[in-house]
Amino acid sequence: MSTPRFPIPQGTLDMLILQILALEPAHGYGIAQRLDQISRSVVQVNQGSLYPALHRLEQKEWLQAEWKQSETGRDAKFYSLTRAGRKQLAVEKESWAKLTGAVQLIFDEGGN
Amino acid sequence: MRPLRNWFRRGDLESGLDRELAYHLDRRISDLVNSGLSEAEARRQAKLELGGATQIREDVRDVWFTRWLRDLAYDLRFSARSFLRSPTFTATIVLSLALGIGATTAIYSLVDQVVLRALPVPEPERLVLIDWVGEQAAAGRGSTNLMSYPICLDLQQQERFFSGVLCRHETEVNLSTGGEAREVGAELVSGTYFAVLGVGPALGRLLNNEDAGAAGAHPVVVLSYDYWQAQLAGAPDVIGRKVLVNSQPMTVVGVAAATFRGIDVGKVPSLWIPVSMTSAAMPGWNPLTDRRTRWMQVLGRLRSGVSREQAQAGLQPWFKAMLEEDTRRADFPRITTNLRAKFLASTIGLTPAPQGHSSLRRRLSQPLWVLLAATALLLGLACLNVAGLFLARGSARGREITTRMALGASRARIGRQLLADSLVFALAGGALGILLAPFALKALISFLPNDGVANNLQSSIDGRVLLFTMTVSLVAGLLSGLGPALQAGRDSLILSLRSRGDAGIGGIRLRRMIITAQIAFTLVLVTGAALFVRTLTGLMDKGPGFSTSSLVSFGIQPRRSGYTSAEAGRLTRRLHDAIRNLPTTQSAALSGVALLEGGSWNNFMTIAARERITTDRVVHLNSVSTEYFSTLGIKLVAGRSFNQQDTSLIADRGVRTAVINQTMAKRYFGDRSPIGALLGFGREPGVKPDIEIVGVVADSSYRALREESDQAFFPILEGSDSGGHFYVRVRGTQEAAFQAIRAALHDTDPTLPIAYFRTLDEQVNRSLSTERMLATVSGGFGVLALLLSLVGLYGVMSFVVTQRTREIGVRLALGATRGAALWLVLRDAARMIAAGTVIALPCVWALGRLVESQLYGVTSTDAASVAAATAILVFTGLGAALIPAYRAASIDPTEALRFE
């Protein structure tokens, strides 16, 4: 609670989810924990918005879901990246890089 | 589409989400407990972190179904629930819509089957009917669009335009496949028939050019799939079997594809016979090489890439050359120069024929469009009624709506809810309408005479019609909901919340407009009904010109059972004697052509009296036995009837005497007596008029009741009476007479099939089938329309009286009479009726032209019919308004004022 956190920018939650799932399939709680680690340090993620986002990405067929046994032995819904999702992640990363690069450029110019 | 798909598996989705969220919470709680929190504290914190479960669920549902689908679903559910709370209201609306939609569906289905539906063959849009436009100088046999077989063969050579040309003639034959011979529909076809249509066999092979080759050389037939299934139980060994066609053995070579039922929706053939076997199928008839006998319809399949216009233009040079060549042929008739010029000016015409060729379509398409227009009006009326009821309910629900608006609902949102209301109704009404439609369709089809050859009309509703109905229902729902939806929330919020529940006053103007429109629609329908009912009753009063009671008729065709002409003559005479001597018979007569069946033997005639003239239109001819006029009760106006001498044979002379009807006498002889004048068949210069007119009889119907035609009768000569149509005036009960006649027939030849057996009353009814259908259906629509708009009018007037109770009470208290109060309300109703009438009259006038050809004895603007319809509407309308008006007049001023 010591470091001030800023709310996650609109639309970046989807990208973060894709990024987390690119490493390995995970269930909602797992993703929430990962997000929590990130948000503890930098940004604030509302857990309530996680599930609508997951379902939205599933609707877009960037994620696929499967019920399987979790580490506690109980069935959980595991999400993993589809081929389209992987492609989407690449696209978002690239456009993010472009955007931040462009913003940085503007700031640099402004600084001069 | 995904939202819709999700909607149907929303149960799975919901339970999945529940499990997912439960898993999340439980994991979080156990993690928190592990980190040292108490169970309760952990649960509280976990929930807090996750946020409201309901909110998450809502958000996820938005993802699944998208916003609008969810709103729509909620609206629909809300509508359905609120309707179930007021069952009477709901039943009234659903029934109104179901009646309108059911009627529209039934009639559209008939229109679709008779007029619109293409043949079940590949690329039907490339099929065209090829027809001779102009004078053919040829004798005809069959229905319409006829040409000769040689011309069909010529057209088959026109490969530049057609990928194939077929021709066909429809007839009936006696078919025996083992048991008793039965009369069935048959098509005589060119060898190209199946190939051009693109129809394949279900079994064996179909007919080809070789089968249609040398006359009489190929006794083969193809059976229809339906006949094969029904009569031969689908026997797989049918190929190669011998069947008897008019007592001639022929070999079955194949069965046509199951979906194919010929090219005429009105007449379904049971078998196809190659044209080479014409004289077997139609004994004593051999027109194959005759260019001057027109008897076949010719259809072509356009070569792909060739348009109908191109083909039509491209065919003319060939056709002109053929006309020239025809006139030089040795067998070309000697005709007048005038007629010759007309012959040479003929052209060849192509019309689209994806639906094949059908005389039923020709006869029925206009009445059917008229009925479809009437149902559209009726459906419109039902929609207006529903809109009116919605508005009434809208005012009752005014509080609910204004409260919702006060809580922040937008007008659009409320309007959408009202629209959802009407959609729920439209769908319910549509579903009920679809259930009702097959019954209505069955009733409609039963109006059409359908003995003898079966037609291809089905009373089931197919996918195409279903689609139509769903569209119509949705449109009806939108139309009936639109007015009320736009009206929603028009009234000032504050005013209506402050008033005590009688909000929605603004709707009353819209309701008045709706009633006015309903009255206009109703007047149009009632006037139409009056016109069609007068047409039917007019025709029934007129009758066929002879007394039909105790008159029965039946037909025999012994030539179709293998009799030679001479044998058939002897059989017919023996039968005639036997029937004449039955105790149940008063008298019995014979005619060559059946009455009131729509067909006739006809020709132009040459008349020689003081000068030689030719008739300017065809004369309808019949050959009759000597007792014909007395048996039917057709009055002799001048001269004498036929006697034994007229029928006796004199070497190398045919008929020598004729009797004509009054219309013909008046047309060609005016006031002079036609007795002694001479007649000859045809109008060519070479015709020798040598048939003496010996009598004139009163007019009677021949082809149909409504026609007035020139008619000439000739005696049936001895030996040329090879079958025909018996007309028997019976005494005693008809059943006894039927039995006695059947016994006599059985004694004469037990195997001889009877073509038909019916009373002349039935025959008259059959010939009026179209008029009866129009009168009954439009009459029913008229009554329904009247009921709907009266209910609407009553409803609005009651509402007005309730609204104005206080005002009327004040008036009465200030000294207005009861009569004035009564008039106050009636005047309101009278204004709406008058406005509706004023709107309707020009519509009646305009629409009248469309139905003119269906009418008899009345014009479409018949003053009496319009006046009667208007009077009915005005009186019943004022009657409906009288009840609320009376209530207004009996308001007790003190009560009304205390109410305030």
Side-chain angles (χ1 to χ4, degrees), chain B residues 403-424:
Chain B
T403 308
R404 285 177 67 178
M405 288 181 74
L407 290 175
S410 67
R411 254 184 79 191
R413 188 71 190 76
I414 301 282
R416 229 160 71 196
Q417 173 66 55
L418 293 181
L419 219 50
D421 282 6
S422 55
L423 280 185
V424 167

Side-chain angles (χ1 to χ4, degrees), chain A residues 27-29 32-33 46-48 50-52 54-56 58-59 61 67 70-72 74-77 79, chain B residues 2-3 5-6 9 16-17 19-24 26-28 31 49-51 56 59-60 63-64:
Chain A
H27 48 67
Y29 184 65
Q33 278 182 318
N46 178 7
Q47 292 196 2
L50 172 64
Y51 286 95
L54 280 172
H55 282 265
R56 184 166 53 247
E58 195 188 347
Q59 292 288 308
E61 291 178 357
W67 285 89
S70 70
E71 56 281 11
T72 60
R74 213 170 125 182
D75 269 4
K77 192 175 179 189
Y79 293 89
Chain B
R2 190 179 263 277
R5 211 165 65 227
N6 283 341
R9 53 184 198 106
L17 180 62
R19 279 173 71 194
E20 206 177 356
L21 292 177
Y23 178 84
H24 181 111
D26 290 351
R27 279 294 301 272
R28 184 68 189 146
D31 279 3
E49 282 175 3
L50 189 59
I56 294 178
D59 289 347
V60 174
V63 169
W64 287 337

Side-chain angles (χ1 to χ4, degrees), chain B residues 35 89 137 180 196 350 427 444 446 500 561-562 651-652 784 860 870:
Chain B
S35 71
F89 173 79
E180 205 174 301
V196 170
L350 304 187
L427 292 178
L444 278 173
S446 71
R500 267 195 329 267
S561 299
D652 71 84
L784 271 181
S860 62
T870 314

Side-chain angles (χ1 to χ4, degrees), chain B residues 603-865:
Chain B
N603 204 339
F604 289 94
M605 300 296 278
T606 300
I607 304 172
R610 278 183 305 197
E611 55 187 347
R612 182 190 166 105
I613 55 168
T614 57
T615 58
D616 52 1
R617 60 181 188 185
V618 292
V619 179
H620 296 272
L621 314 169
N622 206 347
S623 52
V624 299
S625 67
T626 50
E627 320 88 322
Y628 181 81
F629 300 117
S630 59
T631 301
L632 266 70
I634 298 172
K635 264 210 304 274
L636 193 67
V637 179
R640 64 171 179 88
S641 176
F642 296 125
N643 57 31
Q644 293 301 324
Q645 258 172 6
D646 295 317
T647 63
S648 66
L649 271 177
I650 294 178
D652 71 84
R653 283 217 51 192
V655 290
R656 306 172 297 277
T657 48
V659 168
I660 62 172
N661 74 346
Q662 270 183 307
T663 302
M664 181 170 177
K666 201 168 288 165
R667 187 175 179 86
Y668 296 108
F669 296 93
D671 296 332
R672 288 176 291 123
S673 166
I675 308 292
L678 298 174
L679 289 179
F681 293 101
R683 53 180 163 167
E684 294 84 28
V687 170
K688 280 199 198 69
D690 58 355
I691 305 167
E692 186 188 347
I693 298 175
V694 295
V696 178
V697 289
D699 287 337
S700 61
S701 302
Y702 186 173
R703 292 189 302 173
L705 256 76
R706 57 164 78 203
E707 97 181 326
E708 272 146 29
S709 59
D710 305 332
Q711 291 167 20
F713 301 87
F714 306 100
I716 297 177
L717 295 187
E718 268 173 56
S720 61
D721 45 358
S722 56
H725 305 271
F726 279 90
Y727 291 87
V728 186
R729 178 81 60 190
V730 300
R731 60 164 69 92
T733 65
Q734 261 164 20
E735 288 70 31
F738 273 142
Q739 266 175 13
I741 293 170
R742 271 187 202 286
L745 269 160
H746 193 81
D747 288 348
T748 321
D749 179 351
T751 63
L752 189 71
I754 311 169
Y756 62 90
F757 204 147
R758 59 177 86 97
T759 68
L760 260 283
D761 284 328
E762 277 176 86
Q763 186 64 53
V764 167
N765 280 341
R766 281 164 51 86
S767 91
L768 288 176
S769 57
T770 310
E771 286 83 0
R772 174 163 292 108
M773 178 167 85
L774 279 173
T776 312
V777 176
S778 67
F781 285 1
V783 170
L784 271 181
L786 201 56
L787 276 177
L788 285 176
S789 50
L790 290 185
V791 168
L793 186 67
Y794 171 80
V796 169
M797 293 324 292
S798 302
F799 182 73
V800 167
V801 169
T802 313
Q803 291 265 313
R804 294 175 71 175
T805 300
R806 209 169 83 83
E807 179 208 328
I808 296 171
V810 170
R811 284 171 185 254
L812 287 173
L814 292 177
T817 62
R818 301 269 164 200
L822 197 73
W823 175 237
L824 193 71
V825 179
L826 277 187
R827 193 181 56 192
D828 209 11
R831 212 178 280 150
M832 284 189 267
I833 296 172
T837 311
V838 167
I839 296 171
L841 287 181
C843 301
V844 166
W845 184 78
L847 292 172
R849 289 149 183 269
L850 301 178
V851 300
E852 200 106 77
S853 65
Q854 303 300 327
L855 301 178
Y856 178 87
V858 286
T859 61
S860 62
T861 49
D862 178 56
S865 300

